[in-house]
Amino acid sequence: PTYPKDLQEEGWPPLMYVTFLKESKRAVNSIRSLVEEEDEEDDVEKVSWSGEPVGSISWSVKETESSIRSTGEVRDQSFPKIHTAPSLPKNSSGYSLSSLFKGKAKTGSFQSFSESFGDPSIRNYAPELRKPKSEYKDYVSDWTPEETVKRMQQGKVYSLEKFRSLQDKLLLLDEAVNAHDGNVITAVLIYLKKSLSKEILFRELITREIALRHYIHYLKEIGEQKLLVELFKSMDRTEDMALMQYRDHLNVRDENKKRDFLKNCLSFPFSPDDATHVQDHYTLLERQIIIESSGQADIFKKYPRKASILNMPIITTLYYSCFYHYGESDGTFSSPANIRKTFRISDKQFLLTCLGARAKLKAWFDVDALFTTKNWLGYTKKRSPIGFHRIVDILQKNNAPVQVLQDYVNLVEDVEQKISLAQKYKCHDVIINTYRDLKDRQQLIVYRGKVERGSSEYRKIEEILSNSVRLWGEVSPRLPLLQS
């Protein structure tokens, strides 16, 4: 082939020119393989206008020479589907064929080869490849509400933006509800929340109970308290609205500000039970603030507090009062009796809480006073609204002495339970006295073998067995009768 003059001027060796022609052929063949369509065109041999097969060496050489001589650009006239930028006039071009492959512009050019591709006016566009028809079905957006919901359930690509009218959005929501899929319902509700005004959305949700429950749950999860209050207000659910506003007290950290907030909540339209609860909450926090700053210095020095009482439950507050403020007059806010009366604490709950606090301090006299009552004749008797077996367990956990335990084990009415507790906590006198009252000599003899020989319990059993005739009217087998 003829060796072009402009390449000679650039200093191209003939061998490099031949190599360039071969590379041109490979490039043409690669483009041809890209643009061929599968299953749509038959294998037809392509020829140029001169009758030569497209892609042959002679055709590539002629095309290259013609392109270099005419415009200085590489053009392919056999592929009308490939859109290229308009050709630039030769006199205005700053590039030659050699400069394209060397990456350099002609003398006087201010733009490099790599920068030229950033210019959209001279950019060469690659051919657009057609995708198989089977791939287009996942990108069609004209699905019905039912098809869209199914795709959402199957985890496929879907779009909710096509549902623009209110009617289409409500049909989509109804279809999601009918599918009984909570995730799909929530996803649709999120879209409706973004695309509809809250007034319209609230109005439509009132008649859709299932969707409404999902929407309320979603708002609670994301912490949209203000929007929840507006929703309940629009539905005339004043009690729910009041509870949502009351819940905001959790976000108030300062105790005095929280007390003021709870005071304002007292005017909200709560149900009777909820109103009582809010009133107690406000009163309790107010009482805790007062108790926190009061108390006797001596007991606090001996038993330092481990934590603040603020925002603690009512039972914890009562325990604190029984521990640090026991014995104060009923008129003081910190006295156990005042707290019991104000918050309507039951007798059982008060007794258990107070017992635990006083037993912790080893105040056994106060423990006895909890159960001691007087009748109208002045006689005292121990009574309890709970079983004495539970009291024994509490005392034992607080390391009560054996004598204290025996007093309360003796008060257990069930004999078997009494003996079981006495054996468990080694209350020997209770066991011996119980067998004596039952006139069970055999059990006394058995139990005598379990105690230490020579101990006070052993001697007591011996004495009971020796006096069995006088006590029970029986003859002891160990002692012969005296002859008159």
Side-chain angles (χ1 to χ4, degrees), residues 176-236:
V177 172
N178 293 334
H180 304 291
D181 191 323
N183 293 331
V184 175
I185 296 174
T186 303
V188 173
L189 287 171
I190 293 174
Y191 171 65
L192 297 185
K193 178 176 179 288
K194 294 178 180 179
S195 59
L196 293 177
S197 66
K198 58 185 178 183
E199 291 79 10
I200 296 177
L201 180 58
F202 293 168
R203 183 191 67 200
E204 298 298 335
L205 287 178
I206 291 176
T207 59
R208 294 169 172 84
E209 185 64 29
I210 296 178
L212 177 61
R213 290 201 302 267
H214 279 81
Y215 189 62
I216 292 174
H217 179 74
Y218 166 70
L219 292 180
K220 289 180 179 179
E221 288 294 322
I222 64 175
E224 286 275 3
Q225 303 294 336
K226 184 177 180 181
L227 190 59
L228 262 176
V229 171
E230 295 179 5
L231 173 61
F232 290 138
K233 186 176 181 180
S234 67
M235 300 170 59
D236 199 26

Side-chain angles (χ1 to χ4, degrees), residues 269-378:
F270 294 105
S271 64
D273 292 340
D274 292 335
T276 302
H277 169 78
V278 176
Q279 178 65 56
D280 287 344
H281 190 179
Y282 165 71
T283 305
L284 177 62
L285 181 58
E286 184 181 39
R287 189 70 58 88
Q288 288 173 343
I289 294 175
I290 297 174
I291 297 175
E292 181 77 6
S293 58
S294 62
Q296 300 175 1
D298 295 340
I299 190 171
F300 284 105
K301 290 180 180 179
K302 189 175 181 180
Y303 302 99
R305 294 184 303 179
K306 296 182 179 180
S308 172
I309 196 178
L310 297 176
N311 298 311
M312 291 292 123
I314 179 60
I315 297 303
T316 305
T317 305
L318 177 62
Y319 184 92
Y320 178 94
S321 177
C322 293
F323 195 95
Y324 290 107
H325 300 277
Y326 195 79
E328 293 184 1
S329 62
D330 296 351
T332 59
F333 287 149
S334 56
S335 71
N338 190 294
I339 294 176
R340 175 187 183 181
K341 181 180 179 181
T342 302
F343 298 101
R344 305 169 302 280
I345 299 176
S346 65
D347 293 342
K348 291 182 179 180
Q349 190 66 68
F350 177 80
L351 182 65
L352 288 172
T353 305
C354 194
L355 174 64
R358 303 318 293 172
K360 187 75 174 178
L361 291 172
K362 315 299 182 189
W364 309 122
F365 179 80
D366 294 338
V367 170
D368 286 339
L370 289 173
F371 305 101
T372 303
T373 60
K374 287 185 178 182
N375 59 13
W376 63 279
L377 294 176

Side-chain angles (χ1 to χ4, degrees), residues 380-395:
T380 60
K381 185 177 182 180
K382 285 186 171 61
R383 296 180 181 273
S384 173
I386 58 177
F388 280 103
H389 63 282
R390 295 183 61 186
I391 296 172
V392 172
D393 291 335
I394 295 174
L395 294 175

